[in-house]
Amino acid sequence: TDVAAEGNHPHKVHLIAGLNTITPDFVKQLGPDATGILQAGTGWSPDDKTNPAVKQFLKELKAAGEPATGNLTTQGLGAWAALHMVADLLEGAPTKDSATLIAKLNASGPLKISKYGLPDVDFSKPAFPNDPVLSKQRIFQNTFSAFEVNAKGKAVPLAKTFISASTPSKLKLLKF
């Protein structure tokens, strides 16, 4: 790797990458050099088959005839989750258009979408109430997931739940 070519061993340098770029297949290609890579994401790792949302995601992919490959990312999981969130919100609505969706999002209060592998959100409130600039951006997610690749090449959660970007957190790194 480029890190090794520069004289740094990957086990001495902590690489941090998004769950949307470091796929399980990529980790396999890196082999032992992947150990210790830290991963952050806006959704849960689609490699964590112990998570009920990931299990449902993979089940629905299979039912749709799509291969559940080692190239799955949080972007795919996020798109799947967003589709379910929109369907849940528009269920029973007399019209299913963008105006109805925006009205439902603004009036819904907290949306429990962690069941779909994404952090719960509340579109009726700013995610960063103490930051007027970010609040004007209508950014609704202020949490992330954190994983570390273990010696077996698996992304292991560093926390059992999503981590707030607004509140300092103390994560314990795994020992290899």
Side-chain angles (χ1 to χ4, degrees), residues 13-23 26-27 30 34 36-43 45 74 144-149 155 158:
V13 175
H14 260 298
L15 300 177
I16 301 173
L19 281 166
N20 60 334
T21 56
I22 303 294
T23 65
F26 185 72
V27 168
L30 289 176
I37 291 177
L38 300 175
Q39 300 172 292
T42 55
S45 172
T74 54
F144 63 96
S145 60
F147 291 78
E148 185 171 25
V149 177
L158 293 175

Side-chain angles (χ1 to χ4, degrees), residues 89-97 100-101 104:
L89 282 168
L90 293 178
E91 186 175 1
T95 57
K96 294 177 177 29
D97 58 14
T100 303
L101 177 60
K104 293 228 178 231

Side-chain angles (χ1 to χ4, degrees), residues 39-53:
Q39 300 172 292
T42 55
W44 210 253
S45 172
D47 191 34
D48 182 5
K49 295 178 179 110
T50 64
N51 183 287

Side-chain angles (χ1 to χ4, degrees), residues 33-108:
D33 287 338
T35 303
I37 291 177
L38 300 175
Q39 300 172 292
T42 55
W44 210 253
S45 172
D47 191 34
D48 182 5
K49 295 178 179 110
T50 64
N51 183 287
V54 171
K55 284 182 186 178
Q56 184 66 25
F57 172 57
L58 297 174
K59 180 180 174 184
E60 289 184 26
L61 276 177
K62 184 177 180 181
E66 295 293 328
T69 70
N71 284 318
L72 296 175
T73 66
T74 54
Q75 290 168 320
L77 181 76
W80 169 81
L83 180 68
H84 276 283
M85 180 187 75
V86 169
D88 290 351
L89 282 168
L90 293 178
E91 186 175 1
T95 57
K96 294 177 177 29
D97 58 14
S98 58
T100 303
L101 177 60
I102 297 297
K104 293 228 178 231
L105 286 171
N106 286 334
S108 66

Side-chain angles (χ1 to χ4, degrees), residues 94-167:
T95 57
K96 294 177 177 29
D97 58 14
S98 58
T100 303
L101 177 60
I102 297 297
K104 293 228 178 231
L105 286 171
N106 286 334
S108 66
L111 293 171
K112 302 295 183 191
I113 59 172
S114 56
K115 63 185 174 186
Y116 299 125
L118 295 180
D120 297 335
V121 294
D122 187 344
F123 288 89
S124 65
K125 295 185 207 173
F128 297 92
N130 297 328
D131 190 321
V133 174
L134 287 177
S135 291
K136 286 180 186 174
Q137 302 289 326
R138 300 265 306 168
I139 297 171
F140 302 105
Q141 183 176 334
N142 67 350
T143 57
F144 63 96
S145 60
F147 291 78
E148 185 171 25
V149 177
N150 69 14
K152 295 179 181 177
K154 292 290 181 192
V156 177
L158 293 175
K160 293 179 181 181
T161 60
F162 290 98
I163 302 161
S164 172
S166 303
T167 307

